[in-house]
Amino acid sequence: MKKLLFITLYLLFTLTINAQLLTWEPFYLTREDSVEIIFDATLGNGGLAGHTGDVYAHTGVLTEYSSGTGDWFYVKTDWGENTPETKLESLGNDKWKLVISPSIAEYYGVGPDTMITHLAFVFRSGQQVGGSWLEGKTADGGDIFITMRLGVQIQQPVENYYFGQLNVPFDVEAVGSENTVTMELYINDVLTHSVSSTSIEYEITPTDYTKNWVKIVANDAAGPFSADSFYYLVNAPVTTQSIPAGNKYGVNYLDDTSVLLSFQAPNKDYVYVIGDFNNWEADPEQYMKLDPDGETWWTEVTGLTPAEEYAFQYFVDGELRIADPYSEKVLDPREDKYIDDNTYPNLKAYPTGKTDEIVGVLQTAGPEYNWQVTNFERPAKTDLVIYELLLRDFLEEHDYSTLIDTLDYLDNLGINAIELMPVNEFEGNLSWGYNPIFYFSPDKYYGPKNDFKAFIDECHSRGIAVIMDMVLNHSFGQSPMVRLYASGTYGPPTSENPWFNVNATHDYNVGYDFNHESQYTKDFIDRVNKYWIEEYKMDGYRYDLSKGFTQTYSVGNVGLWGQYDASRIAILKRMSDVIWAVDPDVYVILEHLSENAEEKELANYGMMPWGNMNHEYLEAAMGYGSNLSGASYQSRGWNNPHLVAYMESHDEERMMYKNLQYGNGSGNYQITDMGTALNRVKLAAAFFFTIPGPKMIWQFGELGYDYSINWPSGNENDRLTPKPIRWDYFQENTRYYVYRVFQELIKLKKNYDAFRTTDFSLDVGGTMKVIKLHSSSMNVVVVGNFGVSTGDVTPNFHQTGTWYDYFSGQSINVSNPSDPLTLDAGEFHIYTSVQLPTPEDGLILDMDDEEIVADYSLGQNYPNPFNPSTTISFAMQKPGNVKIRVYNLLGQEIRTLIDSEITAGKHQVTWDGLNNTGIRAASGIYLYRMDADGQTFSRKMLLLK
């Protein structure tokens, strides 16, 4: 909406200063103008005077909503980010030119309902000079502003679209700038009223239901120089007419040139459809009809070009622009600019300057995906080995096409299901995805929808199921269903909202809480669940925060929230029944973590609750003792193996990080040592995968990923921060051996009945742990020492005779099943009554063994470029003296990192960026060199501050 512009004396004074710093053409700016700005670097603070490098504008706007001069909106770039459209052209003599085009509104991405009051600038050097930016600002170091000195400003009405009443007059008022001589008012391009004044007033009486355009022109002595305009129309009585049978909410494709749009909005007065097909104008032709149910608005849009994408919105009650909640693709004016063409080729541009907020996209005769696998058989629940991943932190390219190329790695590991953290449209780009806003639209930050389908298809061709992390406890403020009935722009919901609670029912809620007892919510959730199964062949869902699917109020009493809740159980059973009516084999996985009696009932019904064993396994791996029996469904008294146990998840700390930081030790056996820490991961895995029931692992856990979940700061504020992607770990033998151990354990789990048996026992509460499995084909005994010193374990073998050590291939003769075995700290064995193929040698190293390497080598540092520190890997074929030194490009030694005797094997050393005297090195390229056994190796690295 337009609002009166009150310019403070401060800003008037700023404008006077800016007139010295900047000149621009045209002088009287409107939001539709392209403007050329000249910056004189010698004026103001002179911070860029004499600068010969590139100059960029850090620029945004002040709007009617700005609280002060520092409250910029629609800022073009982050500070220090260089883009072509913010780069200034040098004119020589310290003059620089910036062109804002095709219009101010489009350049900044400001929608038509937001008034721009000022353009805001700070000019800066393209790179830091001497460790800091050169900045062009006002003489007192302030930001630079250009006031939008409109030649005409319509003060009444305040809306761009004024909805009047038939035969009821309304006032039009406008003012011109001080150079105005005459003002003219046009209705539909017909001159209706003119005055010789700097202001104009006129009364209009609507006499029909047509749309009318009012334009007011300001003339100076030379003629017209500025104009402003608005539309007025009177809504015809809403037509009540039944929506044709067979249509559902959202876009219904009638043929290659027409669609029927259906929009659920109870208690609204009127709705228009606006979009590319009607120039984003409220047009009587797209005035929506209302079904007799009183809440379903609908209309047909015809004359569309086949295969062309059209952006559109619903314009509700003349105030609210809403994308269709069922949109299968949306455009975001804030985030889409950060999605590159490699991730999403030829992404449709947002209709900047024509509307604001997120818009939906429709496309008749769009490209269909040709499924290659149509008969996929999902792995049995008992056999599931789920690999949970966050695409953002798994691949630098963060797109489905690259993920397809990575499937060999996961396929070779042996997993048979991939659980993707939320991939439907969420707020922002760099997110875990638990802030959803559109439930039918794949988030474009990961690529086009058909690439997603191709990924699922390729997984199915390899026998891998795909599970989607679905967030139905809550939605965030940009959700159209929140915005339709909200007390603010983005919430909170009002009591009229049919989907959401005004206040959350439990303490752990984020965003806005769905009312799961509402029929509106039930219908919506059912539609979401059906959609991904039918459209994407989704194999299952993992429901985030499923314990929140309740209307039982527990705020302030977390204990009550976790107790048995019959209403919540009924909600989840009803939802699952609808899913299984579509496809009876779909996995329904719950992040529930509630009272065991409730989880048992849900598991017995066919759902699969998560089993969080992070604390227990990490404590055991660190050598502090812990009971692992909770990883078994039987230990919880469940009838069915539906517990999805995990050692790590996206939400929990990493085992290797804890091992290296807090691992226990005794004498030479220290879990904080890299090799020992990695072997403890193998030990934990042996007592994880061999417990019958579905299992889940978190990405890179199979490589001993050792960055904290709270990296880099160590506090929870960084929990959601993107994490380093360390595919180089796969090239390190010690970490590769962890991958191989996971691979072999998964192979056992998937291929042998003994590991899915219901006849098993666990003695996993002490330091010495034992798992016993019995099946008709084979018996298995797993023994392990989770302590930090040598100890005895009693295996209680099923029978006497020959038993085979799986990883070594060696056999032992058991004459007394109760005879103890002596195990070193961290040692474990998987004994089988039937000899199985033996994995390659070297996967399970004794703690005192040195890793055997074939040669000397010096690895590339990581990260590179780096700041403040970097790690260098190197390998020694045999023990000896090694020197690793850092040099500048002049050949001067900067730092000696190692000059000592080193054992054979693989090693790492860290450079903290300091020189030999403790002073931080300057940014630049450095060489690092390794001398060992008469051989020399060198590489380059880049330090950036």
Side-chain angles (χ1 to χ4, degrees):
M1 290 186 180
K2 300 174 182 173
K3 293 185 178 179
L4 294 179
L5 176 59
F6 297 99
I7 305 175
T8 65
L9 290 175
Y10 172 81
L11 287 178
L12 286 172
F13 177 66
T14 302
L15 179 63
T16 303
I17 297 174
N18 294 348
Q20 302 170 29
L21 275 169
L22 306 179
T23 57
W24 58 92
E25 178 67 31
F27 183 70
Y28 296 108
L29 297 179
T30 72
R31 58 185 291 119
E32 287 77 25
D33 286 328
S34 170
V35 57
E36 184 178 287
I37 299 171
I38 307 299
F39 164 54
D40 188 338
T42 64
L43 300 178
N45 70 340
L48 285 165
H51 178 63
T52 57
D54 292 336
V55 172
Y56 287 84
H58 183 66
T59 181
V61 298
L62 301 186
T63 75
E64 58 194 305
Y65 303 108
S66 296
S67 59
T69 57
D71 193 12
W72 294 19
F73 287 89
Y74 302 98
V75 180
K76 287 293 291 182
T77 62
D78 293 332
W79 180 257
E81 181 182 359
N82 298 334
T83 61
E85 58 186 352
T86 57
K87 185 177 181 180
L88 279 71
E89 175 188 350
S90 174
L91 303 178
N93 297 320
D94 278 320
K95 298 289 197 309
W96 299 84
K97 181 172 73 173
L98 176 67
V99 176
I100 294 177
S101 68
S103 71
I104 291 172
E106 291 184 63
Y107 180 82
Y108 290 102
V110 184
D113 290 341
T114 299
M115 176 183 286
I116 305 169
T117 64
H118 298 77
L119 311 185
F121 303 92
V122 171
F123 300 101
R124 59 162 181 80
S125 53
Q127 293 183 337
Q128 292 186 353
V129 178
S132 61
W133 301 96
L134 302 181
E135 297 180 2
K137 306 183 85 171
T138 63
D140 59 358
D143 300 341
I144 304 169
F145 297 97
I146 296 177
T147 303
M148 297 283 286
R149 294 184 63 182
L150 292 173
V152 175
Q153 185 180 103
I154 296 176
Q155 297 178 328
Q156 292 291 339
V158 296
E159 300 92 348
N160 287 318
Y161 282 91
Y162 176 75
F163 292 92
Q165 299 180 48
L166 205 62
N167 299 316
V168 177
F170 67 94
D171 293 329
V172 179
E173 299 177 7
V175 296
S177 57
E178 65 273 10
N179 61 318
T180 301
V181 176
T182 61
M183 299 188 72
E184 300 170 334
L185 183 147
Y186 294 79
I187 300 179
N188 298 326
D189 279 330
V190 176
L191 179 61
T192 304
H193 183 60
S194 64
V195 294
S196 297
S197 174
T198 58
S199 64
I200 189 170
E201 296 181 3
Y202 189 70
E203 184 179 270
I204 296 177
T205 301
T207 58
D208 54 35
Y209 296 121
T210 60
K211 181 174 67 174
N212 299 275
W213 183 45
V214 177
K215 178 176 69 172
I216 298 179
V217 177
N219 301 276
D220 60 14
F225 69 90
S226 185
D228 199 5
S229 65
F230 69 94
Y231 287 99
Y232 78 87
L233 64 163
V234 176
N235 292 322
V238 172
T239 299
T240 300
Q241 182 177 333
S242 295
I243 186 172
N247 290 285
K248 56 189 178 181
Y249 293 126
V251 181
N252 298 273
Y253 293 97
L254 304 179
D255 53 46
D256 287 353
T257 62
S258 60
V259 298
L260 184 147
L261 301 177
S262 176
F263 177 53
Q264 188 177 29
N267 301 317
K268 296 299 181 181
D269 294 329
Y270 60 92
V271 183
Y272 286 86
V273 176
I274 57 175
D276 291 338
F277 38 74
N278 60 13
N279 199 31
W280 295 92
E281 297 178 1
D283 193 307
E285 290 187 11
Q286 299 304 338
Y287 188 51
M288 300 189 81
K289 303 179 181 71
L290 182 62
D291 187 84
D293 66 8
E295 60 184 42
T296 301
W297 301 85
W298 66 277
T299 190
E300 293 185 13
V301 180
T302 60
L304 302 174
T305 301
E308 182 174 334
E309 290 187 312
Y310 292 87
F312 75 102
Q313 288 173 318
Y314 301 116
F315 191 26
V316 183
D317 288 350
E319 297 179 347
L320 200 59
R321 297 166 188 261
I322 295 288
D324 193 307
Y326 296 87
S327 295
E328 297 181 17
K329 178 178 178 179
V330 297
L331 304 177
D332 189 325
R334 302 172 183 86
E335 303 299 334
D336 287 1
K337 60 186 176 182
Y338 301 112
I339 300 175
D340 62 42
D341 197 55
N342 290 326
T343 300
Y344 199 112
N346 304 312
L347 176 60
K348 179 178 172 63
Y350 182 85
T352 302
K354 297 179 180 179
T355 190
D356 52 23
E357 299 298 341
I358 295 173
V359 303
V361 176
L362 61 85
Q363 182 184 27
T364 64
E368 295 289 335
Y369 181 77
N370 182 24
W371 291 94
Q372 302 301 302
V373 180
T374 57
N375 58 347
F376 177 62
E377 293 187 13
R378 299 185 180 105
K381 293 176 181 178
T382 305
D383 297 344
L384 277 176
V385 180
I386 303 168
Y387 193 92
E388 185 190 18
L389 68 84
L390 171 59
L391 194 47
R392 181 199 74 182
D393 290 350
F394 192 62
L395 298 169
E396 294 286 354
E397 294 82 0
H398 60 76
D399 60 50
Y400 298 116
S401 59
T402 307
L403 189 56
I404 292 172
D405 296 336
T406 314
L407 281 177
D408 280 348
Y409 170 87
L410 297 173
D411 197 5
N412 291 333
L413 179 61
I415 59 95
N416 54 19
I418 294 173
E419 180 181 304
L420 296 170
M421 287 174 68
V423 296
N424 58 290
E425 193 75 37
F426 44 78
E427 289 189 354
N429 288 324
L430 298 179
S431 170
W432 276 10
Y434 295 110
N435 50 346
I437 48 178
F438 287 87
Y439 286 84
F440 298 84
S441 173
D443 197 287
K444 302 183 300 299
Y445 189 68
Y446 298 144
K449 69 175 185 180
N450 280 352
D451 284 3
F452 187 26
K453 291 181 178 180
F455 163 72
I456 296 169
D457 211 5
E458 179 62 23
C459 285
H460 287 173
S461 74
R462 297 167 178 259
I464 299 173
V466 180
I467 298 167
M468 185 176 181
D469 201 336
M470 181 61 71
V471 184
L472 293 175
N473 172 79
H474 58 266
S475 196
F476 268 55
Q478 292 183 45
S479 161
M481 299 188 305
V482 172
R483 293 184 61 232
L484 263 175
Y485 306 90
S487 56
T489 304
Y490 303 117
T494 66
S495 59
E496 285 187 308
N497 197 303
W499 299 282
F500 295 94
N501 292 312
V502 176
N503 298 301
T505 62
H506 59 92
D507 288 301
Y508 277 75
N509 188 76
V510 294
Y512 299 115
D513 186 35
F514 272 112
N515 176 356
H516 287 272
E517 297 283 5
S518 165
Q519 189 61 47
Y520 292 88
T521 300
K522 294 175 184 178
D523 293 343
F524 178 76
I525 283 175
D526 292 345
R527 177 85 176 271
V528 171
N529 288 331
K530 290 178 183 179
Y531 173 75
W532 293 95
I533 298 169
E534 294 174 342
E535 181 69 21
Y536 286 83
K537 299 187 183 297
M538 195 61 61
D539 299 301
Y541 298 107
R542 176 267 186 190
Y543 290 102
D544 178 69
L545 205 59
S546 61
K547 193 162 56 181
F549 292 20
T550 179
Q551 285 299 104
T552 302
Y553 190 81
S554 62
V555 173
N557 190 344
V558 174
L560 173 63
W561 183 50
Q563 293 175 11
Y564 185 92
D565 184 341
S567 64
R568 178 169 55 205
I569 293 171
I571 287 169
L572 290 168
K573 285 182 176 180
R574 187 210 65 81
M575 182 186 76
S576 299
D577 286 340
V578 174
I579 290 171
W580 292 327
V582 178
D583 188 329
D585 296 324
V586 168
Y587 311 118
V588 177
I589 301 173
L590 308 177
E591 185 202 22
H592 212 61
L593 310 177
S594 71
E595 181 180 294
N596 187 58
E598 180 168 333
E599 292 199 342
K600 178 180 179 180
E601 185 170 343
L602 296 171
N604 289 344
Y605 201 72
M607 289 170 259
M608 303 172 68
W610 260 18
N612 184 356
M613 293 296 294
N614 177 259
H615 173 78
E616 290 80 0
Y617 274 95
L618 267 58
E619 288 291 303
M622 288 187 291
Y624 296 111
S626 189
N627 192 332
L628 306 182
S629 62
S632 163
Y633 70 97
Q634 287 188 356
S635 73
R636 302 182 182 218
W638 297 9
N639 301 334
N640 299 297
H642 291 167
L643 178 72
V644 181
Y646 57 89
M647 300 188 292
E648 296 178 333
S649 75
H650 69 271
D651 232 0
E652 308 295 343
E653 189 55 272
R654 315 302 174 217
M655 180 179 290
M656 266 299 289
Y657 171 77
K658 293 291 287 279
N659 284 354
L660 292 172
Q661 294 295 317
Y662 308 109
N664 198 0
S666 176
N668 291 329
Y669 186 84
Q670 296 294 325
I671 296 175
T672 54
D673 293 340
M674 178 64 74
T676 305
L678 288 168
N679 277 321
R680 298 291 290 203
V681 176
K682 301 174 189 175
L683 169 66
F687 280 79
F688 175 67
F689 289 109
T690 56
I691 297 177
K695 298 291 183 288
M696 186 185 77
I697 58 178
W698 168 245
Q699 65 184 29
F700 296 134
E702 73 282 1
L703 293 175
Y705 189 81
D706 47 12
Y707 288 81
S708 170
I709 191 174
N710 297 319
W711 180 91
S713 71
N715 63 59
E716 289 197 357
N717 292 333
D718 276 330
R719 178 164 290 243
L720 305 183
T721 300
K723 300 298 185 282
I725 300 172
R726 297 301 306 269
W727 281 101
D728 58 307
Y729 278 179
F730 190 61
Q731 307 304 318
E732 298 179 18
N733 278 357
T734 50
R735 295 182 188 272
Y736 171 72
Y737 289 162
V738 178
Y739 172 93
R740 285 283 290 111
V741 167
F742 273 53
Q743 184 183 57
E744 292 297 333
L745 292 169
I746 293 170
K747 186 186 300 180
L748 289 176
K749 176 175 178 54
K750 289 168 50 181
N751 293 345
Y752 298 98
D753 287 341
F755 296 93
R756 62 174 67 92
T757 182
T758 59
D759 185 359
F760 63 92
S761 64
L762 306 178
D763 181 9
V764 290
T767 299
M768 312 302 292
K769 301 185 189 297
V770 180
I771 297 174
K772 295 180 63 179
L773 310 170
H774 172 71
S775 73
S776 59
S777 58
M778 180 172 61
N779 292 324
V780 180
V781 175
V782 186
V783 296
N785 180 358
F786 280 80
V788 293
S789 58
T790 301
D792 290 341
V793 62
T794 303
N796 288 319
F797 287 101
H798 298 78
Q799 75 264 354
T800 59
T802 302
W803 287 77
Y804 302 91
D805 186 348
Y806 178 65
F807 279 104
S808 71
Q810 298 175 353
S811 61
I812 61 171
N813 186 52
V814 175
S815 57
N816 183 351
S818 299
D819 282 347
L821 297 173
T822 300
L823 301 179
D824 290 334
E827 184 179 355
F828 71 91
H829 299 275
I830 298 176
Y831 292 110
T832 61
S833 61
V834 174
Q835 187 167 17
L836 304 177
T838 305
E840 67 185 55
D841 190 29
L843 295 182
I844 308 299
L845 297 177
D846 291 337
M847 294 306 109
D848 297 327
D849 285 352
E850 296 173 347
E851 184 181 355
I852 301 173
V853 297
D855 206 346
Y856 296 91
S857 64
L858 179 65
Q860 184 63 53
N861 66 301
Y862 187 90
N864 187 40
F866 69 95
N867 179 30
S869 63
T870 190
T871 298
I872 298 168
S873 300
F874 64 98
M876 298 284 289
Q877 184 179 20
K878 57 186 179 181
N881 182 265
V882 62
K883 295 180 180 179
I884 297 181
R885 290 168 285 191
V886 180
Y887 298 86
N888 63 22
L889 291 181
L890 298 177
Q892 299 167 325
E893 181 181 322
I894 298 298
R895 179 75 177 272
T896 298
L897 300 178
I898 294 179
D899 186 358
S900 61
E901 292 291 319
I902 299 294
T903 60
K906 290 190 173 183
H907 304 276
Q908 293 180 331
V909 63
T910 297
W911 183 34
D912 56 10
L914 303 180
N915 63 22
N916 285 329
T917 61
I919 298 174
R920 180 156 294 282
S923 295
I925 298 175
Y926 293 88
L927 303 176
Y928 59 101
R929 192 175 77 183
M930 169 180 157
D931 296 286
D933 196 25
Q935 300 184 60
T936 298
F937 308 86
S938 63
R939 289 180 180 269
K940 292 181 181 179
M941 57 182 166
L942 178 60
L943 170 62
L944 289 179
K945 289 186 178 179

